[in-house]
Amino acid sequence: MLMVIVGFAEFGEGDELIGIVGHLDVVPEGDGWDQDPFEMVDIDGVLTGRGVADDKGPLLAAYYAAKIVNEMDFEKKYKIRVIFGCDEENGSSCVKYYFKHRPYPAMGFTPDADF
């Protein structure tokens, strides 16, 4: 069985990296749901379900921002690497694995739906 726990997309040129780290996984279904956790439900205009208010949207926004900046006509001094983790909800083994095999960025941030 093939298990993907982390991936990345890279834009720009330069020796140093700006890292954008986020995750695509969702919380385990667990207990305590008022509806089927595998079904998104609209309750009075509020979406509920596994993963509806987490980092997928902000991570995709950061991906597109990096892509747009890369296409702009000015000298880039850094590569931008968007890192897509897939195990944040179970201990972030994705990030540990990534940094075991890839360099740390010179600077970085994490786009998050809670901010």
Side-chain angles (χ1 to χ4, degrees):
M1 177 172 87
L2 175 65
M3 185 169 130
V4 177
I5 61 170
V6 69
F8 65 86
E10 190 172 277
F11 301 97
E13 298 183 21
D15 293 329
E16 292 192 279
L17 294 170
I18 296 173
I20 302 172
V21 183
H23 70 97
L24 303 175
D25 59 320
V26 296
V27 297
E29 64 272 13
D31 298 318
W33 290 91
D34 294 330
Q35 77 275 338
D36 181 351
F38 294 98
E39 182 178 332
M40 183 177 68
V41 178
D42 184 334
I43 301 173
D44 298 324
V46 176
L47 299 177
T48 61
R50 294 173 66 226
V52 298
D54 212 343
D55 293 341
K56 288 166 228 46
L59 185 57
L60 241 92
Y63 165 82
Y64 279 107
K67 186 175 180 338
I68 290 166
V69 166
N70 186 58
E71 292 170 356
M72 296 173 74
D73 186 25
F74 67 92
E75 179 186 0
K76 284 85 171 177
K77 297 180 181 180
Y78 295 90
K79 288 181 189 174
I80 299 174
R81 184 173 289 170
V82 184
I83 303 166
F84 304 94
C86 295
D87 187 49
E88 187 267 350
E89 299 293 352
N90 291 302
S92 293
S93 66
C94 51
V95 175
K96 294 170 190 165
Y97 180 87
Y98 174 84
F99 287 119
K100 183 177 178 183
H101 298 279
R102 301 290 179 181
Y104 280 88
M107 62 190 91
F109 70 97
T110 299
D112 194 293
D114 287 339
F115 296 135

